[in-house]
Amino acid sequence: QVVESGGGLVQAGGSLRLSCAASGRTFDSFAMGWFRQAPGKEREFVALISWDSDQTFYADSVKGRFTISRDNGKNMVYLQMNSLKPEDTAVYFCAGYNTGSYYLAGSYGYWGQGTQVTVSS
C-alpha cells in the first residue's frame, strides 16, 4: 500500500515537499517513482529513485527544480519541489517500479490515490 501526502495550493515560485508512505517488508527492494496527471492529460513520469538511492532520473520538465529521495528505514519516498510553475499543477502519484521503461506508467504497480498540487500564477 502506498499513501501520498503533502500536496496543496502554492504560488508560482514556491515550494512543496510531497511524501509517500509505503507499507510492506520488501519496500527497500523496489525502485520508486513519482508521476503526475493534469486534468484531461495522460499520467506522466516525474522522477524515479533506485532502491539504494544510488540512481535518480527526472523528466526534463522538472530537472533542476525537483529532487526525489527516500528513507528505507522509514519506508518513505519524498519529492522536494522548488520553483514551482502553474504547469506543475496536477495530481501527483507515488508508485513502485516493476519492470520495463521507467518513464511509462505501465511499468509500475502499487499506486497510491494521489495528492493534489495546485500552483497559482
Side-chain angles (χ1 to χ4, degrees):
Q1 185 179 1
V2 169
V3 179
E4 303 93 339
S5 62
L9 174 64
V10 64
Q11 288 188 333
S15 298
L16 281 175
R17 187 195 194 203
L18 304 184
S19 298
C20 169
S23 60
R25 293 180 296 173
T26 60
F27 169 78
D28 57 3
S29 300
F30 287 90
M32 296 294 294
W34 285 95
F35 279 73
R36 66 187 182 186
Q37 188 166 18
K41 294 188 177 182
E42 292 189 355
R43 196 166 295 190
E44 66 171 356
F45 171 75
V46 175
L48 173 73
I49 187 166
S50 61
W51 69 272
D52 59 357
S53 302
D54 189 50
Q55 291 183 299
T56 57
F57 301 90
Y58 296 93
D60 288 342
S61 58
V62 307
K63 201 172 295 183
R65 300 188 297 122
F66 291 10
T67 302
I68 189 171
S69 61
R70 68 189 294 165
D71 184 337
N72 286 346
K74 296 181 179 179
N75 280 17
M76 296 291 294
V77 182
Y78 306 99
L79 186 68
Q80 178 66 44
M81 306 186 297
N82 299 327
S83 302
L84 283 161
K85 305 175 181 179
E87 51 264 44
D88 295 319
T89 295
V91 177
Y92 283 70
F93 299 89
C94 177
Y97 172 77
N98 285 333
T99 185
S101 300
Y102 67 84
Y103 50 86
L104 297 178
S107 300
Y108 294 74
Y110 313 104
W111 291 90
Q113 293 300 307
T115 184
Q116 176 71 48
V117 171
T118 303
V119 184
S120 63
S121 57

